[in-house]
Amino acid sequence: MRKKLLLALFAIPIIANAQFFQNFDAATTLPAGWTALNGGDTDTWAIVNYTGGNINAYSGTNTASIAYGSTAHDDYLVTPAITVTAGVSDFLSFYARSRDPLYPETISVKVSTTTPTAAAFTNTLAASVAPASGAGFYKYSYDLSAYAGQTIYIGFYSSTTDMFFFDIDDVFNGAIPACDVPTSIVVNSVSSNSANISWTASSTAGATYQVEYGPTGFTQGSGTVINSTAASATISPLSASTAYQFYVRSSCGTNGFSVWTPVQSFATTCASVTAFPYTQNFDNTTIPSCWANEAVTGGGTDTWTYMTANGNSSITPKSAPRMAEFRTTTAGNKARLLMPPLNISGLATPELRFSLANTNWFGDVDELRIFYKANAGDAWTQIGSSYTTENAAWLDVSIPLPNKSANYMIAFEGTSNWARGINVDDVSVVDASVLGVNDVVKNSNGIKVYPNPARDFVNIASDKKISSIEILSLTGQLIKTVDKDSKQADISELKRGSIF
């Protein structure tokens, strides 16, 4: 039995018009002038609303759709009457989708020159409309000029058996356009102050383009207009952390413009952090401003949260009242906690610092890895160690940041092994070269190590008995042992930046 999408279907008929644009968004019943002729099984054309679903309409919220049935369809979705007039209503276009590649739905497009009844659809505009199956829509256009002077009806006809869903949206009847409407619009390289957009070039030689944009909700005609000779444009300057909308149309000079595309949307990123040291202690119940969760596996349902204790209450925040945590009930699921973009180009010795704890559960330990991008379009690259062993108390970590840039990104990637969780607190990005020589590193057991950074010696102080002193590399390798009763460690022979 094929799995059905959980989408509500509602039917109803009737009414009439000429020269129209219909996106089926006004109601969950067929619009005025439209008719569904049900001549086969019980399933027929109806309106589908996608609000809250896992796929979308081409524009707005609704489509006209027909669902599969175990017996053959014999169904028409019929437009309002069209009086075909040259230069006024001699053109038809629509967007169509066949949802499932394993069960491809197709339709035909037919014409009646008399009445909106099944037997009257004796002319064929397209014998087979078969869009590539999937979530995307494809545009279909037809010249009606052969019917000039006549009143006609267009019938979208389905006769398939036990396929899936066929969806129609944005049906347009009007004049043959002077230019193609831009399609396949892509938004990429979105930053805090700009976004790049592109689309499929018009088939009309010499066509140019206009883009109109503004903050989400702006009234078209009041936005900013960009003219472009290429099938792409950069929208700039923009405000950081702001949602925008835009439209695109083609221009064919003296022949005029195409219609505008349906509205498109994007949101700019946060502006890069420029003040250092930058710190975050996760003191609220929600994700910090300009931070983000990025799903790696698990479908995006598992994210970092902000807790007062870990899974068995053995770890509490390093800095009260909360800490970041990644913990799931599904082993292998991963999610990244992304810091805001950072402008570390001016830091002499940029360094990431944070505290980590990950308590085991019957030997299982959740894992942490740190990744960076020097630029938003780069691939993630791991830095520092893979923290795959237990830290039952807070571990203070320092990682030098390579390839510094003005749009640097850092991600904390948690991997679930169904343990007590990965806990992170006291995150900071600092310029290690400007920290004072009296800076002190103090771990959760009250042991003080100073100065930080140090050149030749570090001092070790504790009011507790120390059983051993070991110096580790940034990758966790043992590089030096120190007498447990020593109050000072000689590090003069070690490489600069090699320990933490």
Side-chain angles (χ1 to χ4, degrees):
M1 172 74 66
R2 185 163 63 258
K3 184 179 179 183
K4 296 183 180 180
L5 295 181
L6 298 178
L7 296 171
L9 300 182
F10 299 88
I12 291 186
I14 318 286
I15 307 186
N17 222 327
Q19 197 179 355
F20 56 81
F21 173 80
Q22 183 55 251
N23 62 6
F24 308 104
D25 288 339
T28 53
T29 58
L30 287 179
W34 290 73
T35 308
L37 303 178
N38 185 5
D41 66 346
T42 56
D43 294 298
T44 191
W45 290 93
I47 304 303
V48 172
N49 182 292
Y50 297 85
T51 303
N54 56 358
I55 57 174
N56 299 314
Y58 179 74
S59 69
T61 58
N62 297 355
T63 63
S65 304
I66 190 164
Y68 64 89
S70 58
T71 56
H73 293 312
D74 185 14
D75 297 90
Y76 288 86
L77 174 66
V78 182
T79 67
I82 300 170
T83 300
V84 180
T85 303
V88 177
S89 54
D90 52 358
F91 177 80
L92 177 80
S93 68
F94 60 91
Y95 289 84
R97 169 176 66 193
S98 176
R99 294 190 204 170
D100 193 334
L102 298 178
Y103 302 93
E105 285 277 3
T106 62
I107 66 167
S108 57
V109 182
K110 297 190 174 186
V111 177
S112 166
T113 58
T114 55
T115 61
T117 56
F121 284 97
T122 56
N123 299 318
T124 300
L125 276 179
S128 178
V129 176
S133 297
F137 283 84
Y138 295 83
K139 186 178 181 181
Y140 296 87
S141 301
Y142 302 95
D143 186 343
L144 304 180
S145 58
Y147 298 95
Q150 301 181 64
T151 297
I152 67 172
Y153 299 87
I154 304 296
F156 302 97
Y157 178 64
S158 174
S159 60
T160 57
T161 304
D162 200 24
M163 290 296 142
F164 199 48
F165 277 83
F166 196 96
D167 305 315
I168 291 176
D169 206 357
D170 287 16
V171 182
F172 171 76
N173 170 237
I176 296 174
C179 283
D180 299 331
V181 180
T183 59
S184 303
I185 297 173
V186 176
V187 181
N188 53 39
S189 301
V190 179
S191 69
S192 61
N193 61 6
S194 67
N196 294 334
I197 60 173
S198 59
W199 52 89
T200 300
S202 171
S203 60
T204 303
T208 59
Y209 308 92
Q210 284 189 338
V211 177
E212 183 179 3
Y213 72 93
T216 293
F218 84 99
T219 300
Q220 194 172 10
S222 66
T224 301
V225 174
I226 299 172
N227 293 301
S228 176
T229 58
S232 61
T234 297
I235 302 177
S236 176
L238 303 173
S239 299
S241 307
T242 303
Y244 287 92
Q245 293 179 326
F246 69 94
Y247 305 81
V248 186
R249 68 178 179 178
S250 303
S251 171
C252 290
T254 57
N255 289 330
F257 296 93
S258 72
V259 299
W260 290 100
T261 63
V263 66
Q264 310 291 316
S265 302
F266 67 90
T268 52
T269 62
C270 289
S272 295
V273 173
T274 57
F276 298 95
Y278 168 81
T279 62
Q280 181 53 249
N281 298 327
F282 310 105
D283 289 342
N284 297 310
T285 58
T286 56
I287 190 168
S289 176
C290 292
W291 288 61
N293 270 297
E294 180 181 86
V296 180
T297 60
T301 58
D302 295 321
T303 59
W304 287 75
T305 53
Y306 311 95
M307 311 298 291
T308 57
N310 73 333
N312 65 349
S313 299
S314 62
I315 299 294
T316 56
K318 181 78 177 292
S319 295
R322 293 182 179 273
M323 59 190 175
E325 179 176 272
F326 181 70
R327 178 164 59 97
T328 80
T329 57
T330 305
N333 279 6
K334 300 180 181 181
R336 292 181 182 135
L337 181 62
L338 277 58
M339 295 180 65
L342 307 162
N343 183 351
I344 61 171
S345 59
L347 304 187
T349 311
E351 187 172 280
L352 170 68
R353 296 180 179 181
F354 62 94
S355 296
L356 159 69
N358 53 337
T359 306
N360 88 88
W361 187 68
F362 291 102
D364 292 328
V365 179
D366 294 328
E367 303 174 3
L368 179 71
R369 293 170 179 84
I370 311 302
F371 292 84
Y372 87 97
K373 295 179 181 181
N375 298 286
D378 296 346
W380 288 110
T381 300
Q382 185 176 347
I383 51 175
S385 302
S386 293
Y387 301 97
T388 59
T389 57
E390 181 183 38
N391 292 282
W394 286 107
L395 172 70
D396 295 331
V397 180
S398 298
I399 302 175
L401 298 177
N403 300 323
K404 57 188 180 180
S405 74
N407 193 30
Y408 207 85
M409 303 182 72
I410 298 173
F412 294 81
E413 182 183 277
T415 301
S416 173
N417 287 317
W418 204 15
R420 300 297 187 185
I422 285 287
N423 298 106
V424 170
D425 209 353
D426 288 8
V427 174
S428 64
V429 173
V430 303
D431 188 342
S433 69
V434 300
L435 293 178
V437 294
N438 293 319
D439 286 352
V440 174
V441 174
K442 180 178 179 181
N443 73 7
S444 57
N445 294 315
I447 299 173
K448 299 178 181 178
V449 180
Y450 62 95
N452 177 38
R455 182 185 298 274
D456 297 317
F457 295 93
V458 292
N459 300 307
I460 304 166
S462 176
D463 56 3
K464 298 179 181 179
K465 184 175 180 180
I466 298 176
S467 59
S468 65
I469 300 174
E470 297 176 342
I471 298 176
L472 306 179
S473 72
L474 286 167
T475 59
Q477 296 175 308
L478 178 66
I479 57 176
K480 185 180 180 72
T481 58
V482 180
D483 184 275
K484 65 183 179 64
D485 297 318
S486 176
K487 302 298 182 183
Q488 192 176 71
D490 182 356
I491 60 168
S492 59
E493 77 276 16
L494 300 182
K495 274 188 178 181
R496 184 172 181 261
S498 63
I499 66 171
F500 68 101

